[in-house]
Amino acid sequence: DQQVKQNSPSLSVQEGRISILNCDYTNSMFDYFLWYKKYPAEGPTFLISISSIKDKNEDGRFTVFLNKSAKHLSLHIVPSQPGDSAVYFCAASGKADSWGKLQFGAGTQVVVTP
Amino acid sequence: DVKVTQSSRYLVKRTGEKVFLECVQDMDHENMFWYRQDPGLGLRLIYFSYDVKMKEKGDIPEGYSVSREKKERFSLILESASTNQTSMYLCASRTASGELFFGEGSRLTVL
């Protein structure tokens, strides 16, 4: 039973446009959310995070939005670049989990076309 | 610079063989994790460790065991490999602020 869901397995976007990746979660105890980026044959790398006390966090071209009432978060990449082509994983953890275990979504494959 | 190193990038094993996957981190982190990544399923937690000689089962521990004899090293063991354990295995260690740093992964094929 997946607690973190990424319902779009793939996304194609033109270079320079906005990429919007969506993530839904079911566990109301989650209070910390992260996005990871993964290239083929490499481990995931941390991209950006947000805690439940915020509804937006921005880092350069990447912005994460959190809607707690809808149990939904999204990652915006503006403008998209060819190097952004990768699999993006949404992850979440709960304050009650002192070990910091992350629950991951299935991932969204982003392809940025020139 | 943060470093998580997995000893083998690619392995091919036969059904029934014992498999060791080694992971070393140089950040003095207490918490370390083993995940497997499969298409359409994302990353699923196999085991984690919060201190030397301490371990806890994750979501899919069946068929796996782990060893944490030293703080920097966390090993994943497949006692008798099976074809459904063909996967990408990812080791990670956790910062105090909650991010996981991952190794490059070990692609295991069980024939």
Side-chain angles (χ1 to χ4, degrees):
Chain A
D1 184 30
Q2 277 203 302
Q3 300 181 61
V4 178
K5 297 179 184 178
Q6 293 175 255
N7 292 319
S8 298
S10 64
L11 173 70
S12 183
V13 64
Q14 260 190 323
E15 183 177 2
R17 303 282 204 145
I18 183 171
S19 294
I20 300 177
L21 291 79
N22 293 303
C23 178
D24 297 293
Y25 60 96
T26 58
N27 189 340
S28 57
M29 297 300 289
F30 286 152
D31 64 352
Y32 186 56
F33 305 89
L34 308 89
W35 285 93
Y36 281 82
K37 175 180 178 178
K38 187 180 183 301
Y39 293 117
E42 292 184 14
T45 53
F46 170 72
L47 198 55
I48 193 169
S49 64
I50 188 167
S51 74
S52 59
I53 61 172
K54 292 186 170 184
D55 54 18
K56 177 182 173 182
N57 189 26
E58 193 171 349
D59 183 2
R61 296 185 298 113
F62 302 92
T63 303
V64 56
F65 296 92
L66 175 62
N67 183 334
K68 290 187 289 294
S69 60
K71 294 194 181 72
H72 177 84
L73 64 156
S74 61
L75 175 69
H76 292 208
I77 307 173
V78 185
S80 300
Q81 299 174 353
D84 296 331
S85 296
V87 177
Y88 290 79
F89 292 99
C90 171
S93 70
K95 198 180 304 181
D97 182 351
S98 57
W99 310 126
K101 302 195 302 289
L102 294 182
Q103 294 287 338
F104 284 84
T108 297
Q109 172 76 61
V110 172
V111 176
V112 180
T113 56
Chain B
D1 210 16
V2 167
K3 192 77 173 171
V4 177
T5 304
Q6 293 183 230
S7 56
S8 304
R9 294 295 306 275
Y10 300 96
L11 302 96
V12 179
K13 297 290 182 181
R14 297 211 171 271
T15 301
E17 281 193 83
K18 191 168 186 175
V19 182
F20 289 91
L21 298 177
E22 302 276 322
C23 175
V24 177
Q25 51 103 356
D26 64 358
M27 297 159 286
D28 203 37
H29 289 161
E30 293 183 348
N31 294 3
M32 295 185 73
F33 304 80
W34 274 104
Y35 285 85
R36 63 178 280 178
Q37 182 204 351
D38 300 287
L41 297 176
L43 280 70
R44 294 178 293 165
L45 181 63
I46 304 171
Y47 263 97
F48 67 102
S49 168
Y50 51 91
D51 202 349
V52 176
K53 296 193 187 296
M54 308 302 281
K55 60 188 178 186
E56 290 285 341
K57 293 179 180 179
D59 299 319
I60 51 164
E62 297 78 20
Y64 302 95
S65 62
V66 290
S67 171
R68 184 112 181 256
E69 295 297 317
K70 293 185 178 181
K71 191 174 187 180
E72 67 270 18
R73 189 179 298 270
F74 190 35
S75 303
L76 180 69
I77 303 154
L78 288 68
E79 292 289 341
S80 177
S82 62
T83 55
N84 63 11
Q85 292 179 309
T86 292
S87 186
M88 168 71 89
Y89 289 89
L90 294 160
C91 173
S93 68
R94 178 177 175 261
T95 69
S97 56
E99 295 102 43
L100 295 186
F101 279 93
F102 285 89
E104 292 189 318
S106 299
R107 170 71 65 185
L108 171 67
T109 302
V110 183
L111 302 175

